[in-house]
Amino acid sequence: MSSAKKLQGEIDRVLKAVSEGQEVFEEIWQKVHEASTAAQKEKFEGELKTQIKKLQRLREQIKSWITGDQVKDKQPLMDARKRIESDMERFKICEKETKTKAYSKDGLAAANNNDPETRARMEAREWVEGCLDQLQTQKDAHEAEIEVIRSKQKKNSKVSERETELNECIERHSYHVDRLELILRLLDNENLTVDDVNSIKDDVDYYIQSNTDPDFQEDDTIYDALNLDELDQGGMDVLKTTKKEKEAEKERREKEEQEREEARRREEARKLELEKKRKAEEEKRQKEEQRRQLEAERRRQEEERRRQQVELHRRNAEQLRQQQEAQRQQELAAQAAAGAQAGAAGGAAKKMPEPAAAAKGMGVVAIQQQQQAQAQAQAQQQAQQQQAQQQQQQQQ
């Protein structure tokens, strides 16, 4: 189970590297087509070639998983492989356009005029370029296999026999790549003829197609008859990769790897920062929503308190009105009773002296006025008590 998890982790890492590599490839592709000068375009094309080589190494690793039986779900691997091969085709078209432009204006003009010699030279050139592409593809496959072998080895372990064999193959391929690149340059400079190139075709094709066969016998004299070093005036001194150049190439690759790793880290930091901002904005939005809800609740409670106050005021006013109405009824009843008493006492009043009768009437009116004043004072006192209670409730 642990080995399956480890394999899946390696697959995920490679698929992620493919996605990142294709993003870089697309960025450089745009720069190539937007370059304003030939120097800029050449620089970006070099970067594009470096990037496609990285994708090719990942493609070889993916192919080994696809052909194996350790992976059950191979669809993501197949999709990644197709995307890489699509980018490889795009790069070949770009490279072919560049080389066609750089080859020769006069030669192109002659080719358009159906010059047989120029067509033959261009066909020879295309054959050499095809050989270089095939050798580079095989080198990339060997390098990818070496990376797989090293990833499975323990630290401080000895170099395996297979890794030694692959390194030897890469070294032989590098030699042939150097020779063919020199042939291409000499052919462009017309220091080699088409017949010279055709004389090595069969041997080179045999090497490319059969160098991995168990019974393959390499011919070290393929290029001797062409005297390439003499034609190039010391070309071996220029083309042979020295130890210092190898170290510089290694440093360059390590620097590219570090730059890619740094770019990946910057991207992860950017994503984390965006996620942090998103969470902060979400938290701010939630707080704002809570504030609006609290404000709405506060307004609702305030409205409810106002409604209760209005209702209480209405009830108090109704109660006061009822009390005043009752008091008025009492006063009317008291007046009616006083009138009855006055009628009953009419006979007696005739016998009384006139000043005594007037005094008697004034006493009845004074009593009625006193009772009415007491009722009004009582009603005002009740209204003041209710108002005090209402203010206490508002303060609470």
Side-chain angles (χ1 to χ4, degrees):
M1 189 65 180
S2 59
S3 61
K5 288 184 178 180
K6 184 177 180 181
L7 176 61
Q8 186 61 44
E10 183 68 16
I11 291 174
D12 293 340
R13 185 187 66 80
V14 171
L15 291 178
K16 182 179 179 182
V18 170
S19 299
E20 293 175 349
Q22 287 185 314
E23 289 178 1
V24 175
F25 180 88
E26 189 64 30
E27 292 177 0
I28 301 174
W29 177 269
Q30 295 295 331
K31 292 178 180 179
V32 169
H33 289 81
E34 294 174 359
S36 58
T37 63
Q40 288 181 349
K41 189 169 185 179
E42 184 178 358
K43 174 179 177 293
F44 292 139
E45 285 174 354
E47 295 178 0
L48 197 66
K49 185 174 183 179
T50 301
Q51 191 61 32
I52 201 65
K53 286 182 179 180
K54 293 179 181 180
L55 291 173
Q56 285 175 338
R57 288 195 290 269
L58 296 172
R59 170 174 167 267
E60 295 303 322
Q61 174 62 72
I62 291 172
K63 286 171 62 178
S64 66
W65 283 329
I66 293 175
T67 56
D69 56 355
Q70 294 179 334
V71 181
K72 294 182 180 179
D73 185 10
K74 298 180 181 180
Q75 189 59 43
L77 296 173
M78 296 173 68
D79 293 341
R81 176 184 173 182
K82 289 180 181 179
R83 294 198 305 270
I84 294 174
E85 290 174 351
S86 176
D87 288 341
M88 290 170 61
E89 290 298 323
R90 293 169 65 192
F91 174 73
K92 286 182 180 179
I93 293 172
C94 178
E95 188 178 36
K96 187 174 182 180
E97 290 177 354
T98 303
K99 289 181 179 179
T100 302
K101 291 178 181 178
Y103 174 58
S104 171
K105 293 182 180 179
D106 296 336
L108 290 174
N112 292 332
N113 293 327
N114 296 322
D115 183 359
E117 182 180 353
T118 303
R119 286 203 307 272
R121 186 176 293 276
M122 292 184 68
E123 289 175 359
R125 194 179 196 285
E126 290 178 357
W127 174 80
V128 175
E129 290 176 346
C131 293
L132 288 170
D133 289 340
Q134 294 180 64
L135 288 170
Q136 188 61 49
T137 301
Q138 292 183 12
K139 283 179 64 179
D140 292 339
H142 294 336
E143 290 174 354
E145 186 175 351
I146 289 174
E147 290 180 1
V148 174
I149 293 172
R150 290 176 178 175
S151 65
K152 295 179 180 179
Q153 287 179 342
K154 297 180 179 179
K155 291 183 178 179
N156 301 325
S157 59
K158 295 182 179 180
V159 178
S160 64
E161 182 178 352
R162 176 59 179 166
E163 184 177 349
T164 302
E165 180 182 349
L166 291 171
N167 284 324
E168 292 176 355
C169 290
I170 292 173
E171 187 175 354
R172 289 199 306 269
H173 282 13
S174 298
Y175 168 73
H176 285 281
V177 168
D178 290 341
R179 298 286 87 189
L180 290 171
E181 287 179 347
L182 178 56
I183 288 172
L184 193 62
R185 187 164 63 254
L186 293 173
L187 184 64
D188 289 345
N189 296 332
E190 298 184 358
N191 292 328
L192 280 179
T193 65
V194 175
D195 292 336
D196 292 334
V197 176
N198 292 336
S199 67
I200 63 170
K201 268 188 176 182
D202 293 339
D203 292 334
V204 174
D205 287 339
Y206 169 72
Y207 173 81
I208 294 174
Q209 297 170 7
S210 306
N211 66 83
T212 57
D213 294 344
D215 56 348
F216 170 73
Q217 296 293 329
E218 184 176 5
D219 183 6
D220 297 334
T221 64
I222 296 177
Y223 309 101
D224 289 353
L226 300 180
N227 296 322
L228 298 177
D229 297 334
E230 295 180 4
L231 293 174
D232 193 44
Q233 297 179 355
M236 282 298 293
D237 294 336
V238 176
L239 295 174
K240 186 177 180 180
T241 305
T242 63
K243 182 178 180 180
K244 184 177 181 180
E245 291 173 340
K246 288 182 178 180
E247 292 177 352
E249 179 67 16
K250 183 178 179 181
E251 291 178 357
R252 185 183 65 80
R253 291 183 179 180
E254 290 177 351
K255 184 178 180 181
E256 290 178 353
E257 185 66 22
Q258 291 176 357
E259 291 176 352
R260 188 180 68 81
E261 181 67 19
E262 183 65 24
R264 184 186 65 80
R265 290 177 180 175
R266 287 197 300 268
E267 181 64 18
E268 290 181 353
R270 186 183 68 82
K271 290 180 179 179
L272 289 174
E273 185 65 22
L274 290 176
E275 182 65 18
K276 184 178 179 181
K277 290 182 179 179
R278 187 191 66 79
K279 289 182 178 179
E281 291 177 355
E282 180 66 18
E283 184 178 355
K284 182 179 179 181
R285 187 189 64 78
Q286 291 177 355
K287 289 182 177 179
E288 182 65 20
E289 184 65 22
Q290 291 176 357
R291 187 191 66 77
R292 286 198 297 267
Q293 291 177 357
L294 292 174
E295 181 66 17
E297 180 64 19
R298 185 189 66 78
R299 291 179 180 178
R300 188 190 64 78
Q301 292 178 356
E302 182 68 21
E303 186 66 23
E304 181 66 20
R305 283 197 298 268
R306 291 177 182 176
R307 188 188 63 78
Q308 291 177 356
Q309 291 173 2
V310 171
E311 181 65 19
L312 180 61
H313 181 70
R314 187 190 64 78
R315 290 180 181 178
N316 291 337
E318 181 65 20
Q319 186 178 3
L320 179 61
R321 188 188 64 77
Q322 290 177 358
Q323 291 176 355
Q324 291 175 351
E325 182 64 23
Q327 184 179 357
R328 190 177 66 80
Q329 293 294 336
Q330 290 176 1
E331 291 176 355
L332 292 174
Q335 290 176 3
Q341 290 178 2
K350 292 179 180 179
K351 297 179 180 181
M352 290 182 183
E354 186 175 349
K360 182 68 174 179
M362 291 176 63
V364 173
V365 173
I367 292 172
Q368 291 176 354
Q369 291 177 351
Q370 183 177 5
Q371 290 176 352
Q372 185 177 1
Q374 290 177 354
Q376 291 178 354
Q378 185 178 2
Q380 291 178 355
Q381 184 177 3
Q382 290 178 355
Q384 291 177 354
Q385 290 177 354
Q386 291 175 356
Q387 186 176 3
Q389 292 176 358
Q390 182 179 354
Q391 291 179 353
Q392 290 178 356
Q393 291 179 355
Q394 291 178 354
Q395 292 176 356
Q396 291 176 356

